[in-house]
Amino acid sequence: MDIAHPSDARTEPFAAGEAVVLRSVNTYGRHGRAVGFAVAGRVLVDDDELAVVASPVGSAMRRRAGAGSGPNGRLILPEHWDGSYVDDTWSGAPVVRVHQKGSPWSVWRWHDGTAWMPHWYMNLELPWARTATGFDTQDWTLDVIAGTDRDGTWSVRYKDEDELAYYAGTGHWPESMRAIIERAGKEASSVALARTFPFDVDWSQWIPDAAWPVPELPAKWDQLE
């Protein structure tokens, strides 16, 4: 496990439309520090306050290969990973990720080409750090889902609590880290309930440009600095 908050390896912001890779980095047993998941995207905003990245359908992805375990059968423990990756692509609908610099989460929304889809997703994670090819983070398993129910009520709930408990039970996340993750979950839930930034801003400024080519991963997407 590696929970050190990295600093930006690249100080120059990425330009709008530039292809980047978002990577979740952690320590995986005998494999050491490595990329656990990577997805290509295109930058919409990158400045001192925000990083906004869109992954259209077809964006290149890589995820660790190995036997799945846990409550959903999709968690790969370090000892079950052989060091290889599954080639994949982003499917469903284009996703836009908004990360306020320094926050232990990013807020995701999906745009179907006509309108924003109804639910918001808060991915709990290590604050993003700019790299030579994109942004590195560390996924923390637990997530927050927000949206308007059929009766018009705004609701907020956790997602993957069972997976967090499983990882904690196996020692992948020790109790000290679990406490950090759960505290971030409470803070994220408070933001969602209050509908403060970025729930209170006009997301039309972040609609992906449909004319941009689908991004690929850079040649050295799995190399760490």
Side-chain angles (χ1 to χ4, degrees), residues 140-160:
W140 285 350
T141 310
L142 185 65
D143 305 298
V144 175
I145 304 294
T148 303
D149 295 334
R150 291 182 180 180
D151 63 0
T153 302
W154 178 255
S155 65
V156 177
R157 62 179 175 83
Y158 285 127
K159 177 180 178 292
D160 297 334

Side-chain angles (χ1 to χ4, degrees), residues 130-189:
R130 194 186 289 127
T131 70
T133 56
F135 300 92
D136 279 357
T137 181
Q138 181 186 91
D139 185 82
W140 285 350
T141 310
L142 185 65
D143 305 298
V144 175
I145 304 294
T148 303
D149 295 334
R150 291 182 180 180
D151 63 0
T153 302
W154 178 255
S155 65
V156 177
R157 62 179 175 83
Y158 285 127
K159 177 180 178 292
D160 297 334
E161 292 174 281
D162 52 353
E163 293 186 2
L164 176 62
Y166 177 79
Y167 266 154
T170 62
H172 181 80
W173 293 126
E175 282 304 313
S176 59
M177 188 61 205
R178 183 176 184 175
I180 291 173
I181 295 170
E182 291 177 339
R183 184 167 62 249
K186 290 180 181 178
E187 293 172 357
S189 297

